[in-house]
Amino acid sequence: MSSERLAGLLDEYAELEKRLADPAIHADQATARRVGRRYAELVPLHKAAGELEQARADLTAARELAAEDPSFAAEAESIGATLPALEERLAELLIPRDPHDAKDVIVEIKAGEGGEESALFAADLLRMYSRYAERRGWLTEVIDAQDSDLGGVKDVSLSIKTKGVPDGGNGVWSRLKWEGGVHRVQRVPVTESQGRIHTSAAGVLVLPEAEDVDVTIDQNDLRIDVFRSSGPGGQSVNTTDSAVRITHLPTGIVVSCQNEKSQLQNREQAMRILRARLLAAAQEQADAAASDARKAQVRTVDRSERIRTYNFPQNRITDHRIGYTAYNLDLALAGELDGVLDALAEADRAARLAGDTELTRR
């Protein structure tokens, strides 16, 4: 493990602890939250380093006592046996982590080919993530949605947030970053009169929600259009130009929102999504330009291809990236996603550890 990196992170921990103890920082809630998140990320490292240092000191003392009294030899051996696990834990915590792990997310779900069946499946995914968030004690908010005729959703943007500072710096992104990609469903659609199994799909995009300090947007780079909302939404629908479409001219990214009754509210929601998309685009550019060493540490789970199949006749959920299969689809759709998410997290941990080993050989 890198002693210089460890020393630097422990110094950062001490500095953040001082900043959080200063009442003045809490006058700016955004800064306090950002500093608190980083501090929470470093708490496990500080704890692991302290435990290892204490164990080494105890071992030295036990060996000194054993030199004078052989009865302490067993205690020294017992303490020594704990060191490898403590060293491994600290080494794992020293591996550079995903810089977005503490962030909240915006989940975008879009119906694909398959008409109403795809829209109904997109609604199933929306409920699945909402229920999972509820189980975790997270807060959810539908930012924008376009419903289909049979109760599905053609396109929906869902905000998912932690309450306060996430424990250990493990925010919503640290759990749901694996979900981006094409999700495929196999079942008998409600529109199928012959009882035949159909296959359709929906696309999921998971974006770390950007803060103002993450992305700078020049208002001159925006084209903002207003139009009349369509679909369910109250008395203002189809009567006022409350829907907003924002085009970011340098990138061509287009975001529209129509859920809220006021034009101002729709504009604010659209800007949230735009900031998240710009942050994701900047991260993709940084990853593409990275060195071979940096690429070795980037997540190996490909989020751009078909990632998962939901087979209703067999009650089966299969994640194709890691070969995960479980026959509890009904529970997964009810929000019990920890099985597949834990498997993905473990695969990522193993990949990062392997990448770190390769780097140290160079």
Side-chain angles (χ1 to χ4, degrees), residues 104-346:
D104 300 321
V105 306
I106 294 175
V107 178
E108 298 185 356
I109 306 172
K110 300 180 184 293
E113 296 181 2
E116 282 294 341
E117 165 60 9
S118 179
L120 289 169
F121 177 51
D124 289 337
L125 294 177
L126 173 62
R127 282 189 292 271
M128 180 180 75
Y129 293 127
S130 298
R131 289 169 179 171
Y132 180 69
E134 183 180 354
R135 289 174 179 272
R136 302 282 298 196
W138 296 335
L139 304 174
T140 61
E141 174 194 6
V142 174
I143 299 177
D144 193 55
Q146 296 181 35
D147 299 329
S148 71
D149 294 335
L150 296 182
V153 290
K154 299 177 183 177
D155 193 342
V156 61
S157 296
L158 177 70
S159 165
I160 307 180
K161 294 178 174 289
T162 57
K163 295 179 181 178
V165 175
D167 186 33
N170 295 313
V172 184
W173 173 260
S174 71
R175 292 299 286 171
L176 294 186
K177 59 187 173 184
W178 327 110
E179 294 304 289
V182 176
H183 295 239
R184 184 177 67 172
V185 62
Q186 296 172 329
R187 65 183 175 188
V188 178
V190 295
T191 55
E192 170 59 56
S193 59
Q194 311 260 336
R196 293 173 296 188
I197 296 175
H198 286 225
T199 298
S200 61
V204 175
L205 180 63
V206 183
L207 304 169
E209 182 150 12
E211 301 176 31
D212 290 339
V213 296
D214 296 324
V215 177
T216 300
I217 299 177
D218 187 339
Q219 294 299 311
N220 294 324
D221 289 338
L222 302 179
R223 185 178 73 233
I224 302 177
D225 303 305
V226 296
F227 57 97
R228 292 195 175 182
S229 303
S230 61
Q235 294 181 348
S236 64
V237 173
N238 292 321
T239 61
T240 61
D241 292 333
S242 60
V244 173
R245 181 187 300 109
I246 300 178
T247 303
H248 186 249
L249 299 175
T251 62
I253 295 175
V254 180
V255 178
S256 61
C257 278
Q258 63 175 14
N259 259 34
E260 305 296 338
K261 292 184 178 180
S262 81
Q263 187 181 119
L264 178 60
Q265 289 174 315
N266 281 321
R267 175 171 173 161
E268 291 174 349
Q269 299 288 46
M271 287 297 293
R272 286 177 63 187
I273 298 175
L274 177 60
R275 280 194 295 268
R277 289 189 183 177
L278 288 173
L279 178 62
Q283 186 64 53
E284 288 178 5
Q285 290 177 356
D287 291 345
S291 65
D292 291 340
R294 174 68 183 90
K295 289 178 181 177
Q297 298 173 41
V298 175
R299 290 191 312 278
T300 58
V301 178
D302 190 341
R303 296 182 294 143
S304 64
E305 301 177 352
R306 183 193 71 195
I307 63 169
R308 193 174 298 152
T309 295
Y310 303 75
N311 184 291
F312 276 70
Q314 298 178 17
N315 196 36
R316 171 174 56 84
I317 179 172
T318 299
D319 195 286
H320 304 288
R321 296 163 294 182
I322 57 173
Y324 174 93
T325 294
Y327 293 89
N328 61 350
L329 175 57
D330 53 338
L331 297 178
L333 290 174
E336 295 187 19
L337 284 173
D338 280 331
V340 63
L341 294 180
D342 286 344
L344 286 161
E346 177 57 30

Side-chain angles (χ1 to χ4, degrees), residues 69-84:
D69 185 349
S71 64
F72 285 98
E75 181 178 352
E77 184 177 348
S78 176
I79 295 173
T82 67
L83 292 183

